[in-house]
Every structure is written in C-alpha cells, then in structure tokens.
Amino acid sequence: MEEDSQAFFWIKSEGQQKLATENMVPGNQVYKERLIIKKGIEFRLWDPFRSKLAAAIMNELDYFPFENKSQILYLGASTGTTVSHISDIVGHDGIVFGVEHASRVARDFLDRVAAHRKNVIPILQDARKPKEYFSVFGKVDVVYVDIAQPDQTQIAVDNCETFLKKGGYFFLVIKTRSIDVTKAPKRIVEEEVEKLKPGFQVLQTIDLHPYDKDHAMVIAKFKN
Ligand code: SAM
C-alpha cells in the first residue's frame, strides 16, 4: 500500500502503531475515539473494530482511492463513523454523500457528523431508489456500500451505473450472514464476486477477521 498521499497515518499510542486520520474539526470526536496531537496537528485514532474500511487497511488493502478532493458516494452511512474518517481524508475540497434510510440513525449521523463537516452531505433515502437522489449530484470517484441487505450487490451495481465515473472504484462490504445464513461465508463471497464480473474488474477480496466476523470487502474497478 502506498502511503505517500498521507490519506491516513500511523501514530504511536500505548506502545503500538495505530491508524489515524488528521482531524478536520479539531477538538471534535465522533465516536469517543482518541484525539492525539503531534507536532501541532490533531489526529483521530481510526478503530478497525468500529470501521470496516480501517479493518481492510489493517488486513492489507492494496487500493486506496480516497484522496484529497475525492468525491465519494457512501451507502449505509449509519451514524457516520467511517464517513467521518473519509471526510477527514477528502478534505475541504472533497465531498462525501452519505445515504441512510433509517431516520433515527440518520438523526445521529446529522448531529455527530454532518452538522460539523461541510464536506458531508446527508441523504435520507433508500439506496434501492438511486433515481430519487439522482438530481442531488453528478458522478463520483468511489462508491462505498455497507448496507447489509440480501440484495445489496444489485443495489450497489444500480448505484454504480447511475453515479460512478468510468474507471472509478467500488468498495462493497459483504455481510455473509445477511445474505444466506445456511451457506459457507467463502462461497457467498465468491457468488457475489461472480455477479460483479460483467461490469467490474474485481481487484481484491479481503476477509475482515478478526475485526469483523463474517464480513468481507470486495474492491473493484468500474469498466463502463
Ligand atoms: N458503514 C457504517 C460504518 O462503517 O460506520 C455501518 C453501516 S451499517 C452495517 C448498515 C446501515 O445501512 C444501517 O444504518 C442501515 O440503516 C443502512 N441501510 C440498510 N439498508 C439501506 C437502504 N436500502 N438504503 C439506505 N440505507 C440502508
């Protein structure tokens, strides 16, 4: 993994090298993560047990297209833990569109994250209906999907077809138990990857163990 872009950092804390992002809103915590100041810059520790993107980095993620000024569509924003770190990375000139359909969760997302960060646009919509938020934005560099639905791959593909740039990156979190509890997790991941092959070049599949049980992340590039 190249780290020259300084999208994220390794900070020594409690005798260990820990993952962190530079806090875009100094003094502000999102999920009670530790804030550490080094050489006058404030960093937020990025917990791989709380964020699957951090877990993927810990497990040798080879592709990291989240950069300064990137435009990201994030489906399944929840209360915004991972969105907040992506917001740190893309910075003031980037943007993160966070789609969340559960209004109670979305309220926390607004209070904890979107209210403090101008580069986060909350969209209270169902990711199954991308046409409903079509007018909100144009094409993005990365589509990140973590919605834990049985038909999540189809939802993700529909969103990529509507919003992802040609050659853009696609990150799909597969919660194997939410697709079929009776099948072996490895088999489910293989089946979901097969579904992507017509439209995407699959680059990497990462098992998120031990940070997340029965979760995998697929990273792909959009051919269209
Ligand atoms: N990505 C989050 C993080 O790392 O902080 C955790 C996401 S959580 C596993 C899944 C979220 O997807 C839930 O908040 C759920 O309400 C949302 N979700 C599920 N189906 C959805 C849909 N069809 N449209 C929008 N959001 C959805």
Side-chain angles (χ1 to χ4, degrees), residues 99-154:
V99 179
E100 174 54 57
H101 73 161
S103 51
R104 199 176 48 81
V105 177
R107 196 168 311 128
D108 274 354
F109 174 43
L110 286 175
D111 292 346
R112 290 186 203 180
V113 179
H116 305 279
R117 293 167 176 267
K118 289 204 172 74
N119 66 358
V120 173
I121 310 292
I123 300 172
L124 185 50
Q125 288 282 0
D126 185 344
R128 282 196 178 83
K129 300 175 184 163
K131 297 277 180 292
E132 303 273 317
Y133 42 95
F134 183 70
S135 58
V136 179
F137 50 96
K139 299 267 176 177
V140 298
D141 303 298
V142 182
V143 171
Y144 183 106
V145 181
D146 182 13
I147 53 174
Q149 295 284 354
D151 56 341
Q152 60 183 13
T153 303
Q154 190 53 50

Side-chain angles (χ1 to χ4, degrees), residues 37 54 92-93 151 155 179 195 198 216:
I37 296 174
H92 295 279
D93 296 324
D151 56 341
I155 297 173
I179 292 177
K195 289 183 201 165

